[in-house]
Amino acid sequence: MKFKFRLMTLLRHKKRLRDEAMKAFAEAQAEVNEKLSEIDYLFSIITESRNYAHGFEKQAAFKTTIHEYTDAYIRGVKRQIEESRLQARELMLVMEEKQEALIEATREVKSIEKLRDKQKERFLKEKKKKENKLVDENVMVRVGRSWT
């Protein structure tokens, strides 16, 4: 007799849901990382712009014009950074929601697996008990034959 878990279909379904939640979380995490990389890139643009403007400081004719254009450009990039930060925060909230869904799905799978393991252990104990009973009965029959 073989162990058959009656809730195996449910377990497979919950595992599939967990896998989907894991995929959704990974996608959300990738979006957050992409947005954070974009923010880092924008900061590097500001640094490069400042370095470029400092290169023209020696030339008096371009000094004020270049600084005005550079400052205006940097202000624009800072606005982009602020917008990207807001978007990153929103993406982080979505990522946290997906993480909570993943945690819940994992809990459900673990609880069903724990139930399966307990039922299998109970099944194996009952099987062992029946086997021992059968062996005892066979021994009793043999002992009874030898006495007669």
Side-chain angles (χ1 to χ4, degrees):
M1 187 152 85
K2 191 174 180 182
F3 174 72
K4 182 167 173 72
F5 185 54
R6 291 180 297 181
L7 300 175
M8 195 57 159
T9 307
L10 177 65
L11 179 60
R12 279 192 222 109
H13 175 69
K14 293 292 185 180
K15 283 184 176 182
R16 189 171 30 81
L17 291 177
R18 181 198 57 196
D19 293 344
E20 290 172 5
M22 195 177 300
K23 182 181 176 186
F25 173 69
E27 289 171 356
Q29 195 173 29
E31 288 177 12
V32 167
N33 290 339
E34 184 179 324
K35 189 55 75 173
L36 294 176
S37 294
E38 179 184 321
I39 291 170
D40 288 341
Y41 174 71
L42 291 171
F43 275 115
S44 71
I45 287 176
I46 289 175
T47 304
E48 288 175 19
S49 298
R50 286 186 178 143
N51 291 339
Y52 182 75
H54 288 299
F56 283 101
E57 282 186 356
K58 295 175 184 170
Q59 300 172 358
F62 294 114
K63 189 174 183 179
T64 56
T65 311
I66 290 293
H67 278 293
E68 287 173 5
Y69 287 130
T70 304
D71 289 342
Y73 180 69
I74 289 174
R75 281 193 300 273
V77 172
K78 284 183 178 180
R79 270 183 283 192
Q80 284 181 326
I81 289 172
E82 286 306 313
E83 290 174 11
S84 293
R85 281 182 173 168
L86 289 174
Q87 292 170 354
R89 284 186 193 113
E90 290 172 5
L91 290 172
M92 285 180 188
L93 291 174
V94 170
M95 184 184 74
E96 287 175 8
E97 289 172 4
K98 306 244 179 188
Q99 186 178 24
E100 288 297 321
L102 173 61
I103 290 169
E104 183 59 31
T106 303
R107 272 191 204 126
E108 289 177 2
V109 168
K110 284 185 179 183
S111 68
I112 294 172
E113 286 176 339
K114 193 173 182 180
L115 177 64
R116 178 194 62 196
D117 293 344
K118 284 182 180 180
Q119 286 182 1
K120 186 172 184 177
E121 186 178 316
R122 193 176 317 131
F123 171 80
L124 293 174
K125 281 182 181 178
E126 283 293 318
K127 185 177 177 184
K128 184 76 171 170
K129 190 175 180 182
K130 286 178 183 178
E131 288 174 357
N132 288 341
K133 184 177 179 182
L134 186 62
V135 167
D136 288 346
E137 287 175 0
N138 286 338
V139 168
M140 293 299 275
V141 168
R142 285 184 188 163
V143 169
R145 281 187 198 162
S146 65
W147 284 21
T148 54

